[in-house]
Amino acid sequence: MIRTFLFLVVYFVSVLSVSAQQNDLQSILNQNSKAVERASRKTLQPVLKSLIDSKLKEVPIFLEKWRAKKVWIRKSDKQFFYINNKNSTPIKLIDISSGEIVGLEPKNKLKQLKPNSGVRSIIASTLVQFQLIDIDKNRRLAALKAIERDANSSHLNALRATINKEPLPSIKARMLRLERLLTIRFDENPTKRIKAINGFAGDTNVDVRAALNPILQTKIAVSTILPEDKNIAKILKVGDSISTQVAYDILVKNKLAPAQISIQERDKSLIANIKNSEIAGIKTSTLDNEQSRIIAYQTLVKIGAVPDFVTNEQRAKSLKEFVFFNQYIETNKTVTTAAKKTLDTINARVKVFSFIDLGLDGLSLASIYFLAAIGLAITFGVMGVINMAHGEFIMIGAYTGYVVQQFVPNYTASIIIALPLAFIVAFAAGVALERLVIRHLMHRPLETLLATFGISIALQQLAKNIFGTQARPLTSPDWLGGSWVINDIISISYIRVAIFFLALAFLFLLLFILKRTRLGLEVRAVTQNPRMASSMGINPDKINMLTFGLGSGIAGIAGVAIGLFAQVTSELGSGYIVQSFMTVVVGGVGNIWGTLAGASMIGGLQKIIEWFNPSNTLAAQTYMIIFIIIFIQFKPKGIVALKGRAAGD
Amino acid sequence: MKTAFKNSFIYKNPSVLIFLSALAILTIGMTILSEGFGVGLVSTSFIKILGKTLCFCLIAIAMDLVWGYCGILSLGHFAFFGLGGYMVGMWLMFARTKDIVINSMVNAPLPPTPNEIRDAVGSQIFGVVGGSEIPMIWMFADSLLIQLLLVILVPGLLAFVFGYLAFRSRVTGVYLSILTQAMTLALSLYLFQNDSGLRGNNGLSGLQNIPGLTEVSQDIISVWFLWASAIALGLGYIIANWLISGKFGSVVRAIRDDETRVRYLGYTVEIYKLLVFVITAIIAAIAGALYYPQAGIINPAEIAPIASIYLAVWVAIGGRGRIYGAVIGAASVTLISSWFTGGQIPNISLGFYTIKWIDWWLVILGFGFVAITLYAPSGLGGLFDRLVRKQVNEESK
């Protein structure tokens, strides 16, 4: 008994006086040998502390070996060794200080230290401070990243100790930033924390918000009178900022008020008290409504079988005796105030940035709609023809891209080939449709609509028969993969940027064709007055054919662009057809600027509505369509309406 | 007496009597051949197909009135059809779930309260969309009478509001078509949402089971619905012919041919168009309310814009501007379509490729439709007309 006691005293004294004794690594470990051998989360801290306090240069190597389960102990004299190859016989022992082989032992005389995963992660986080002063800059960076991911209070001092030794300015800047973040989280001096918090005003990075938000965490507390010493965020008014039910539940949880009897509990008690299909003399068959069940329960209360209901008056009375408030978990009021202020400036800026991001999203959607609709706008505007098969020309373009990729494996080359080829294929299909069908249905717009719908279902089914129903990939080249990230909030994928420029290119190309070429002149003439144009020597038949081909060809190119970010299916085009029509109608028929305005409005609007309710894109589309229906009430000719004779009837 | 008969619209439209007797012969004949009431030569599933086809014929009549006679190419009448189905479906689903719930609670120690039944019904119906609350729009779902009224009121009101807005701002022609299509798309997208209160894309199901008639077999119920559909179609046919034969019909046709001129003659064009639009929407809704108990399931995909375009296709194939044309078109396309896609026609093997009719039917339909638009603009009904006229001409010689 006395021996045990003495042993314990010696043990604890030795643990506490490690740094004073200033020994080599082996002896430090021997003093703590039990804690090292059977390391657990609880016993680990003093060992690690004495190891670090010893300031021995072997310590980081030891910790790494320990974590990698390469530290063994010799059973006879409790000496520690490293073992690199445990399968050799006999096993070579490596000295933990010199790193040299100091002996050979059979395996059964040794025991491996196997720290569990919790211990290993604590060792790893202790190791970080050594890695921070490593000569290899990649290891220093890795250590920084490890702290950024998962920091604890010990890292703060380690970081502060190393910052001034850091030679590389880029890493130093990162360390300084991390030091401020850790100061916010772990420093005990409020002045330092507040200084660090104020330094982050307007910084929108996610890590700053992650450091600040926990400071502002609150919990609901209850008390009879408002405590002066607590850091109170907000006083809650029962029935207003906190519901009566929630408030009362808190009282019940804190045993400050009797529990309410819920309907389930009431029915449970009733069922428990059934005797011969009667409850306290009331037949169970009559209990098919709330009223009679309450009466039955009250009968049970009278005979003392169950606790009474808490009436609303009782509840209100109990609630009146207490005051509810939101209390910051952080106790220092100046810190929470500073954090709140900084977070407010950050949130204001986040809002601006997310609005810019929304604008970019809207712009990208608008350019997709523009590409999809511009071909339709040309045919609709010039010929007054509704082409329901327009979506299928988009589909033809996308499938052309897919087929090209089957033959040309280089994605960049295949896209460069696919774009003009898609135009040619869709142009040919468009001309064929115009020659074979639409020409015969001139001046019968509704019939054209239906006939082109027939073409549309036939083409869709043909595509299904040829390519199958499963989605086909149209892979974009690597340089279009990924996103352009400006900061944590604003980013846009390169494909969408490319589509934006493609749309822009088409805008200018079409403007050029229509305003500066002979073909454009003739197209505009036919648009305004076909008869007059034909008497001036223009062949309206030919112009119609070319216009229709042009519109269809552009749809083909749009198909390649859309296929790059969506899967290519036979329904690819039909998903865009209604939106395209609305783009044309909202914008104003027969006008490229109108289509641009329509696409911008629809794309932008859809994103804005999605912003209000981000989880529900279906609702956004629904509301947008309703908005368009109402919009057309007020501007039936669209945003950019043609005036004069050209407007027709 | 004789002159009164000569002035009546039935005398002016001999097709009414012919049509009604054909319909009666078909219905009675099918009843005799059915499994439920007769000798069992015709399967129950075919009776159901027939019943559904009659509903399609009814909505085709509505489409013909609004497009063929009034010149409004509405691409939204299937939305009204679907809405009618939803209204009846709500009652069917609610009442049946309630029956099941009550049955399952029979052995509970306490008899269920109305609240408990409601909660159980709610979690049964809305469990699939992650809810258990019964939404407000199901307020009357327990009452067949009110839901039947809603079959008329809800689509009627939607048609009224939409039509009022559209006609007032004088949106015509293809613009109006696109606008109606947008309305249909908006409605179907709305219904696709899980929190629309109508079970999102799951739709309403199990509608073929009529509450309170669980003991009656589908063989018999299918015949009842065939009769109901036939009677509705007959009434619809009479009403449509009556509408177009009087002065109202003349004004409506005049609007189709030259709206501006009718307006100059002092007629308020908007009111006529609105009336036609609302009446046809209601007819479409009734057709839907009869169709979906036979189909058994309704979901938002049925309301998608393409369905309404198919409707226009039926009428165009049948020949618009003739009530019987619409019926012929709807009946022939849906019956042939179910024949082709039902796998009854053997596939043709060409050695290197097998023509599967299921895959090629839509291609045939699409191109066939284009051919009809190009070469027979008056549709199948036009061919029929030509035959009749030939006969009349020969008789008069």
Side-chain angles (χ1 to χ4, degrees):
Chain A
M1 183 67 204
I2 290 172
R3 272 181 61 184
T4 331
F5 177 68
L6 277 177
F7 173 75
L8 276 176
V9 169
V10 169
Y11 179 74
F12 278 115
V13 167
S14 66
V15 166
L16 293 171
S17 56
V18 164
S19 53
Q21 286 182 4
Q22 192 55 273
N23 285 317
D24 65 326
L25 182 58
Q26 192 70 256
S27 48
I28 298 172
L29 290 173
N30 283 342
Q31 282 152 15
N32 297 301
S33 79
K34 272 225 172 90
V36 175
E37 247 189 280
R38 293 198 208 96
S40 74
R41 276 169 168 274
K42 279 178 196 160
T43 60
L44 196 62
Q45 283 309 332
V47 181
L48 288 175
K49 190 173 182 320
S50 55
L51 280 172
I52 290 162
D53 288 350
S54 74
K55 301 216 163 74
L56 289 167
K57 63 179 190 313
E58 305 96 287
V59 167
I61 302 166
F62 173 77
L63 290 177
E64 250 171 67
K65 296 276 186 187
W66 191 11
R67 184 168 68 129
K69 297 182 189 170
K70 282 183 176 168
V71 176
W72 292 59
I73 190 165
R74 187 154 62 196
K75 287 173 186 170
S76 54
D77 58 357
K78 298 279 173 194
Q79 290 282 359
F80 291 89
F81 297 97
Y82 298 148
I83 287 171
N84 282 339
N85 185 0
K86 63 177 178 181
N87 294 325
S88 67
T89 42
I91 292 173
K92 289 173 194 153
L93 303 180
I94 300 165
D95 186 72
I96 54 172
S97 295
S98 61
E100 282 159 16
I101 299 170
V102 289
L104 300 168
E105 284 285 352
K107 201 170 182 177
N108 56 6
K109 299 266 160 118
L110 299 163
K111 194 183 148 205
Q112 188 180 11
L113 299 190
K114 288 180 178 166
N116 64 34
S117 65
V119 169
R120 287 208 306 278
S121 75
I122 295 174
I123 297 174
S125 87
T126 314
L127 261 172
V128 162
Q129 52 185 297
F130 297 106
Q131 289 161 350
L132 279 175
I133 46 173
D134 205 286
I135 313 162
D136 185 359
K137 70 167 182 175
N138 288 328
R139 295 196 66 173
R140 294 205 299 275
L141 262 179
L144 269 184
K145 274 182 193 155
I147 300 179
E148 279 167 7
R149 257 201 318 276
D150 181 22
N152 63 44
S153 54
S154 74
H155 294 145
L156 179 57
N157 287 327
L159 197 62
R160 279 181 180 158
T162 50
I163 286 176
N164 288 325
K165 297 176 199 154
E166 176 59 48
L168 276 179
S170 65
I171 297 184
K172 189 171 181 176
R174 202 160 161 183
M175 281 181 165
L176 279 170
R177 184 184 161 81
L178 188 58
E179 189 266 332
R180 284 156 64 207
L181 283 172
L182 293 188
T183 305
I184 294 177
R185 287 176 61 185
F186 300 116
D187 202 304
E188 270 154 26
N189 182 346
T191 334
K192 276 189 183 170
R193 293 179 74 189
I194 292 168
K195 200 175 156 227
I197 290 171
N198 289 337
F200 278 116
D203 191 326
T204 56
N205 278 317
V206 174
D207 53 359
V208 178
R209 278 177 273 165
L212 288 177
N213 276 325
I215 295 180
L216 293 177
Q217 254 176 22
T218 59
K219 59 176 185 196
I220 300 176
V222 60
S223 166
T224 42
I225 44 162
L226 204 60
E228 296 288 323
D229 54 333
K230 295 269 167 58
N231 186 4
I232 293 168
K234 192 184 173 193
I235 297 168
L236 299 171
K237 223 172 129 191
V238 175
D240 184 23
S241 42
I242 182 170
S243 80
T244 320
Q245 190 58 48
V246 173
Y248 194 79
D249 286 346
I250 291 170
L251 286 187
V252 171
K253 209 171 138 204
N254 290 329
K255 303 215 162 60
L256 296 170
Q260 284 172 297
I261 313 288
S262 69
I263 291 177
Q264 286 81 14
E265 285 166 52
R266 181 200 68 193
D267 291 350
K268 223 189 218 166
S269 310
L270 286 177
I271 292 170
N273 284 294
I274 296 178
K275 281 180 199 114
N276 302 329
S277 55
E278 272 185 6
I279 297 171
I282 301 169
K283 282 217 177 326
T284 49
S285 56
T286 61
L287 299 181
D288 62 350
N289 57 66
E290 286 293 310
Q291 208 68 41
S292 58
R293 283 192 187 183
I294 291 171
I295 292 168
Y297 188 83
Q298 274 160 349
T299 328
L300 283 179
V301 171
K302 264 177 212 150
I303 60 171
V306 289
D308 199 356
F309 286 117
V310 176
T311 62
N312 282 346
E313 292 79 41
Q314 281 168 334
R315 192 168 75 168
K317 201 173 150 240
S318 312
L319 285 173
K320 254 192 198 141
E321 289 168 16
F322 294 96
V323 55
F324 294 83
F325 52 89
N326 262 336
Q327 177 193 333
Y328 288 116
I329 293 164
E330 167 67 48
T331 47
N332 192 319
K333 193 158 188 114
T334 46
V335 173
T336 49
T337 318
K340 196 156 190 286
K341 208 172 131 203
T342 305
L343 209 55
D344 282 347
T345 64
I346 291 173
N347 284 341
R349 197 169 280 191
V350 165
K351 250 183 204 153
V352 173
F353 280 150
S354 47
F355 198 77
I356 294 172
D357 190 50
L358 182 80
L360 281 180
D361 275 356
L363 208 61
S364 128
L365 193 65
S367 43
I368 292 168
Y369 283 158
F370 178 77
L371 265 184
I374 184 67
L376 198 69
I378 296 170
T379 51
F380 194 14
V382 175
M383 303 165 67
V385 160
I386 285 271
N387 180 14
M388 292 297 277
H390 185 77
E392 277 54 53
F393 291 130
I394 294 179
M395 173 198 82
I396 286 175
Y399 273 121
T400 309
Y402 165 73
V403 171
V404 168
Q405 281 199 341
Q406 302 308 300
F407 294 102
V408 185
N410 182 321
Y411 291 142
T412 308
S414 63
I415 293 298
I416 292 171
I417 299 171
L419 283 173
L421 196 65
F423 182 87
I424 293 168
V425 173
F427 181 91
V431 168
L433 177 61
E434 204 276 337
R435 286 287 95 184
L436 294 174
V437 179
I438 291 173
R439 192 162 58 108
H440 305 289
L441 295 172
M442 269 289 154
H443 312 299
R444 283 152 66 191
L446 292 183
E447 261 131 276
T448 322
L449 191 158
L450 289 174
T452 48
F453 171 72
I455 299 284
S456 155
I457 52 172
L459 284 182
Q460 248 185 59
Q461 188 58 44
L462 269 178
K464 259 184 208 141
N465 292 354
I466 296 170
F467 296 100
T469 44
Q470 71 270 46
R472 299 288 177 179
L474 184 55
T475 320
S476 57
D478 284 340
W479 50 272
L480 273 181
S483 292
W484 181 30
V485 181
I486 297 165
N487 59 28
D488 276 354
I489 300 149
I490 307 177
S491 71
I492 185 164
S493 65
Y494 283 118
I495 288 185
R496 289 177 179 263
V497 177
I499 288 175
F500 172 72
F501 283 110
L502 192 66
L504 213 59
F506 268 101
L507 174 67
F508 288 117
L509 184 71
L510 282 173
L511 281 175
F512 175 77
I513 290 177
L514 285 179
K515 298 271 154 96
R516 290 275 180 276
T517 63
R518 177 79 198 173
L519 174 69
L521 183 73
E522 293 184 358
V523 166
R524 280 184 292 145
V526 173
T527 311
Q528 291 187 3
N529 194 330
R531 284 189 183 195
M532 188 65 96
S534 81
S535 58
M536 299 297 281
I538 296 168
N539 181 356
D541 221 29
K542 193 182 117 203
I543 292 298
N544 280 344
M545 185 181 81
L546 286 178
T547 322
F548 203 84
L550 183 68
S552 310
I554 293 171
I557 290 185
V560 177
I562 291 171
L564 284 178
F565 69 88
Q567 295 267 317
V568 182
T569 63
S570 59
E571 273 113 24
L572 175 85
S574 55
Y576 284 92
I577 190 76
V578 181
Q579 267 91 346
S580 301
F581 276 132
M582 286 189 296
T583 303
V584 174
V585 171
V586 165
V589 171
N591 191 312
I592 292 172
W593 292 113
T595 311
L596 185 68
S600 314
M601 196 179 103
I602 292 182
L605 204 66
Q606 184 164 338
K607 284 294 162 189
I608 288 174
I609 299 173
E610 269 175 38
W611 197 42
F612 288 118
N613 187 1
S615 61
N616 205 334
T617 49
L618 282 178
Q621 286 184 29
T622 314
Y623 296 135
M624 190 197 66
I625 294 168
I626 292 171
F627 176 85
I628 289 170
I629 291 174
I630 296 169
F631 177 84
I632 290 178
Q633 303 301 313
F634 296 102
K635 271 200 159 278
K637 297 259 177 220
I639 301 173
V640 183
L642 293 180
K643 290 191 180 72
R645 281 194 188 180
D649 52 352
Chain B
M1 187 62 208
K2 209 175 179 188
T3 48
F5 179 72
K6 276 200 170 177
N7 285 333
S8 83
F9 80 98
I10 289 185
Y11 181 79
K12 287 182 194 157
N13 294 279
S15 80
V16 173
L17 286 178
I18 300 170
F19 178 80
L20 288 180
S21 32
L23 191 63
I25 292 168
L26 174 88
T27 318
I28 294 167
M30 281 303 153
T31 311
I32 293 169
L33 295 177
S34 73
E35 290 179 17
F37 285 95
V39 291
L41 275 176
V42 174
S43 71
T44 301
S45 67
F46 187 73
I47 296 280
K48 280 195 177 184
I49 289 176
L50 267 186
K52 288 190 280 186
T53 305
L54 293 185
C55 296
F56 282 148
C57 294
L58 183 57
I59 188 181
I61 289 178
M63 184 67 190
D64 198 17
L65 277 181
V66 76
W67 179 32
Y69 286 91
C70 197
I72 305 167
L73 176 51
S74 161
L75 299 180
H77 267 59
F78 232 88
F80 303 127
F81 185 84
L83 270 181
Y86 263 109
M87 289 306 134
V88 141
M90 279 159 84
W91 174 76
L92 286 169
M93 200 160 177
F94 189 94
R96 181 159 172 273
T97 313
K98 194 176 160 187
D99 284 353
I100 293 172
V101 162
I102 289 175
N103 271 333
S104 73
M105 284 178 166
V106 159
N107 290 325
L110 297 176
T113 63
N115 272 347
E116 279 175 346
I117 293 172
R118 216 177 152 73
D119 287 350
V121 169
S123 58
Q124 275 286 324
I125 297 183
F126 297 101
V128 282
V129 288
S132 62
E133 289 279 304
I134 296 179
M136 273 292 281
I137 47 172
W138 287 69
M139 204 156 61
F140 305 115
D142 209 5
S143 151
L144 174 62
L145 192 72
I146 296 180
Q147 285 300 134
L148 285 182
L149 270 177
L150 288 181
V151 166
I152 294 169
L153 287 181
V154 171
L157 197 69
L158 177 64
F160 179 80
V161 171
F162 181 86
Y164 176 77
L165 287 172
F167 301 138
R168 186 192 63 116
S169 54
R170 298 198 185 167
V171 181
T172 52
V174 284
Y175 291 88
L176 187 61
S177 302
I178 291 168
L179 214 56
T180 52
Q181 196 181 20
M183 176 202 77
T184 318
L185 183 67
L187 186 69
S188 82
L189 286 177
Y190 177 76
L191 289 175
F192 262 119
Q193 297 172 60
N194 274 349
D195 51 4
S196 66
L198 288 167
R199 298 193 357 136
N201 65 344
N202 303 290
L204 309 179
S205 53
L207 309 184
Q208 74 277 26
N209 304 306
I210 314 297
L213 297 178
T214 37
E215 303 298 312
V216 185
S217 89
Q218 286 291 320
D219 297 341
I220 292 172
I221 289 180
S222 62
V223 176
W224 288 354
F225 269 104
L226 178 71
W227 274 88
S229 308
I231 290 168
L233 178 61
L235 283 175
Y237 197 89
I238 295 170
I239 290 172
N241 273 295
W242 176 71
L243 269 179
I244 54 159
S245 61
K247 186 189 154 201
F248 181 81
S250 310
V251 176
V252 164
R253 256 172 300 188
I255 289 172
R256 172 191 69 189
D257 294 337
D258 197 334
E259 191 176 321
T260 321
R261 200 172 289 182
V262 178
R263 193 170 278 128
Y264 285 152
L265 286 173
Y267 292 96
T268 318
V269 170
E270 286 72 31
I271 289 179
Y272 282 88
K273 283 168 103 173
L274 195 57
L275 257 176
V276 173
F277 197 69
V278 172
I279 290 172
T280 52
I282 290 171
I283 295 178
I286 292 171
L290 281 168
Y291 176 86
Y292 285 104
Q294 302 182 67
I297 183 165
I298 178 168
N299 63 48
E302 312 253 339
I303 296 181
I306 195 157
S308 295
I309 307 182
Y310 271 116
L311 176 60
V313 169
W314 299 339
V315 176
I317 286 181
R320 64 204 160 94
R322 299 161 182 79
I323 300 291
Y324 54 85
V327 175
I328 292 172
S332 54
V333 177
T334 48
L335 284 178
I336 295 173
S337 173
S338 71
W339 187 44
F340 266 99
T341 54
Q344 269 114 327
I345 307 180
N347 296 333
I348 299 174
S349 179
L350 299 176
F352 59 94
Y353 184 81
T354 311
I355 297 179
K356 292 188 188 128
W357 291 112
I358 295 176
D359 288 345
W360 286 92
W361 159 242
L362 276 180
V363 180
I364 297 170
L365 177 69
F367 286 128
F369 178 54
V370 175
I372 284 186
T373 325
L374 285 177
Y375 302 113
S378 48
L380 296 176
L383 295 176
F384 183 73
D385 272 2
R386 221 176 286 170
L387 284 176
V388 174
R389 216 161 288 148
K390 223 182 213 169
Q391 264 177 356
V392 172
N393 285 348
E394 274 165 15
E395 274 171 23
S396 60
K397 274 173 198 169

